[in-house]
Amino acid sequence: MGTEEESELESGQRRPHLGEIAKAISARLWGPDIALPAFCADSREICPGNGFVALPGKKKDGHAFIEEALEKGAKAVVARLEEAGKLSGDYPNVTFLGVSDTLEALVGIAKFYLRWARPKEIIAITGSVGKTTTKKILSQALSVQFKVCASERSYNTLIGCSLAILSMETDADILVLEMGTNAPGEIARLVEAFPPTLGIITEIAPSHLEGLGSLEGVLEAKLELLRSSRLSLLSYNFDNITLRNALKTASKTLNLLPVGYERGSVWRILSSKVFIGDRGPRLSLLLEHGGRTFILESALWERQYAYALAYALAVSYHCGVPAEAAIAAIGDVLPEKGRGCTWMGPHGAWVIDESYNANPASMIASIDSASLLPCEGRRWALLGGMKELGGESDFWHRNIAKRLRSFGKALLLGEEWRGAFADEDDHLRFISNIEEGRAILDASLKPGDLLLVKGSRAYGLEEALKGWEERKCRSLAWQS
């Protein structure tokens, strides 16, 4: 960034105006030259004063929803030149940016604003599992000492990261982005557009194999994070031998911050235990760093979250947050809906809602965690198939089924399961749709039972949970 830009930034915290941005990205501007608003790509999410970017989609074109966005109060629109020119006459009080490619324009606007706001650190999180949870916990830990902007939900694509950046306030100290991929080159494009200064690789595991081909393809895709020209530190899963070995050849100028159970981890997890307290199930971690030990207790009780908690502690400590303050901040972070949220259904059965998504690593972790919990009644599982595993699909579905022996009954939804097994057995049952599974559970669940719900996003297993009265686990209801 040039000296002239820097001196202008030091004079105040104003957001840049769209006229400046239009010149930078070679867009044509109609209407008032207003300050850059936060942008949405979904007209249903528009709030008064937002900007709307009309993106072409596989099924629908965002240009068809411009007027809906305007009716909801959008004050700026990024659209193709022809559409922007036509609509500008009907909406003289709205700012229109006409461009040839709206996605490239969105990325260009985000790049401009990121250079303008200049957060002290840009942290990028990637990996096969745990990205969103790590982002949430790390943001909470960093907020003890810094003003933090983190991408919402699982905004981990070029579009999602761009929108997250445009939601950032100009005085944010740290930006935390999640970077996902299902094809080679996607993370490389993200780090080229928004180069991180700090990175986290949570895990390398079979995921999106249809696009990435193999575990080696997954590894190569995640290591694209290292192409950032500004990356100075990488925290990673030291227990993953494949990842550990790959990083032995990393640039000597890159500082490594390994996290894990094994010796050699700079932040080492000495133990992780699930226990039942007066606020329900919790996870207790004992960690060691620099000759000191730390105890961290979390409402994120599933054991796979030990890594996310450790990454948050390690990276926030590196950024200057005292360990004790970070531990206090993240101890009561609650699981999000679909990501380990635990509650009691109307049958008196406990429900572990892991319905958001699944791949082999996360499915195994959830099954193992559910097996650890005390259960007075019967353990149940409602599992959707795992998508995008390519030729390894049968192998992984058979592998998962072997881990269900501690469950009294598992209801399996999806052709992926049928392809892996010739027949059902006493504790595995194929179901044709969510309604069938819901009917079985409604008729069968009893007080003291435990139900794990998990599967790929495509199966929409959250629909099976709708209508059940959710009561968050806050009292001593678990009996050991």
Side-chain angles (χ1 to χ4, degrees):
M1 182 174 284
T3 305
E4 183 178 343
E5 273 188 311
E6 290 177 0
S7 62
E8 182 179 14
L9 283 167
E10 289 168 1
S11 65
Q13 294 293 338
R14 71 177 181 88
R15 289 173 74 89
H17 279 61
L18 290 179
E20 301 168 82
I21 293 172
K23 291 178 183 178
I25 66 169
S26 301
R28 182 173 176 183
L29 183 143
W30 288 269
D33 185 10
I34 63 172
L36 174 69
F39 269 81
C40 294
D42 187 336
S43 59
R44 295 168 296 184
E45 298 177 358
I46 288 287
C47 295
N50 283 164
F52 176 68
V53 56
L55 297 171
K58 292 181 180 179
K59 296 181 179 179
K60 297 180 180 179
D61 189 333
H63 289 80
F65 301 92
I66 291 176
E67 293 194 77
E68 178 185 336
L70 293 170
E71 289 171 3
K72 291 186 175 181
K75 293 299 183 186
V77 174
V78 178
R80 288 188 294 258
L81 272 166
E82 184 179 353
E83 282 87 345
K86 287 180 181 177
L87 288 167
S88 63
D90 297 328
Y91 298 91
N93 295 321
V94 174
T95 305
F96 289 86
L97 290 183
V99 297
S100 58
D101 185 317
T102 53
L103 175 56
E104 290 300 323
L106 173 65
V107 175
I109 295 169
K111 290 170 66 175
F112 181 96
Y113 182 55
L114 188 57
R115 292 193 300 268
W116 179 280
R118 294 186 299 135
K120 295 182 179 72
E121 301 285 1
I122 301 172
I123 301 175
I125 303 169
T126 191
S128 302
V129 295
K131 296 183 292 294
T132 302
T133 301
T134 300
K135 176 184 65 181
K136 179 180 179 179
I137 304 169
L138 176 58
S139 300
Q140 187 74 13
L142 290 168
S143 65
V144 170
Q145 196 158 312
F146 302 102
K147 187 165 187 177
V148 181
C149 173
S151 54
E152 294 184 6
R153 293 170 283 183
S154 292
Y155 275 10
N156 60 22
T157 63
L158 196 60
I159 295 170
C161 288
S162 297
L163 295 174
I165 290 167
L166 295 178
S167 71
M168 177 175 62
E169 295 186 27
T170 55
D171 59 346
D173 298 306
I174 297 177
L175 171 67
V176 184
L177 296 175
E178 181 180 335
M179 294 186 174
T181 180
N182 56 20
E186 291 181 340
I187 290 178
R189 189 178 182 194
L190 282 166
V191 301
E192 180 184 9
F194 316 123
T197 57
L198 305 178
I200 299 174
I201 300 180
T202 61
E203 178 63 290
I204 301 297
S207 178
H208 301 297
L209 295 183
E210 286 185 355
L212 298 173
S214 64
L215 191 62
E216 289 73 22
V218 175
L219 174 66
E220 291 174 6
K222 302 305 182 183
L223 289 178
E224 290 173 6
L225 188 68
L226 275 60
R227 299 186 190 182
S228 170
S229 59
R230 301 182 63 202
L231 193 68
S232 62
L233 179 133
L234 178 73
S235 186
Y236 68 99
N237 188 325
F238 189 72
D239 298 336
N240 188 302
I241 297 174
T242 301
L243 178 58
R244 185 200 312 172
N245 289 337
L247 289 171
K248 287 180 180 178
T249 58
S251 169
K252 292 182 180 179
T253 61
L254 179 64
N255 294 311
L256 297 177
L257 187 61
V259 167
Y261 289 88
E262 294 191 18
R263 291 184 182 276
S265 302
V266 173
W267 279 86
R268 188 179 177 198
I269 306 169
L270 299 177
S271 67
S272 59
K273 298 179 180 178
V274 177
F275 71 98
I276 311 302
D278 58 3
R279 290 178 291 176
R282 294 179 72 82
L283 179 66
S284 177
L285 297 184
L286 178 64
L287 301 108
E288 186 272 333
H289 172 71
R292 299 176 62 197
T293 56
F294 305 91
I295 296 174
L296 191 163
E297 291 184 1
S298 173
L300 299 165
W301 62 270
E302 294 187 61
R303 291 185 71 179
Q304 66 265 32
Y305 293 132
Y307 287 103
L309 292 160
Y311 292 132
L313 185 54
V315 174
S316 62
Y317 185 82
H318 170 82
C319 290
V321 179
E324 294 78 6
I327 288 169
I330 65 182
D332 287 319
V333 173
L334 296 174
E336 294 184 359
K337 185 177 180 181
R339 299 179 186 273
C341 186
T342 304
W343 45 275
M344 183 178 284
H347 323 84
W350 288 98
V351 178
I352 303 171
D353 178 9
E354 278 280 357
S355 60
Y356 179 76
N357 213 341
N359 61 35
S362 66
M363 184 76 85
I364 290 169
S366 292
I367 290 170
D368 289 352
S369 291
S371 299
L372 288 172
L373 285 176
C375 176
E376 291 182 331
R378 193 182 197 191
R379 281 189 176 85
W380 289 77
L382 172 60
L383 304 179
M386 297 173 290
K387 297 288 188 181
E388 298 185 50
L389 293 180
E392 296 189 21
S393 180
D394 285 0
F395 168 82
W396 283 111
H397 283 86
R398 283 194 294 267
N399 184 287
I400 296 298
K402 292 177 183 177
R403 308 182 81 95
L404 291 168
R405 298 300 174 185
S406 65
F407 286 72
K409 197 76 170 180
L411 307 180
L412 306 177
L413 173 64
E415 291 303 315
E416 296 86 359
W417 298 109
R418 293 180 184 273
F421 302 100
D423 299 296
E424 302 171 304
D425 62 23
D426 290 341
H427 79 292
L428 300 177
R429 176 172 175 177
F430 299 134
I431 56 173
S432 300
N433 50 55
I434 288 175
E435 291 72 23
E436 180 185 355
R438 174 66 180 268
I440 293 169
L441 293 169
D442 273 330
S444 305
L445 287 175
K446 295 179 174 59
D449 285 355
L450 183 148
L451 168 67
L452 170 66
V453 180
K454 191 168 182 65
S456 280
R457 195 85 186 112
Y459 286 106
L461 290 180
E462 68 275 7
E463 293 297 320
L465 306 178
K466 286 185 177 178
W468 287 351
E469 179 185 355
E470 297 189 15
R471 290 190 282 119
K472 301 294 182 186
C473 177
R474 297 189 182 279
S475 61
L476 185 57
W478 300 80
Q479 303 297 322
S480 53

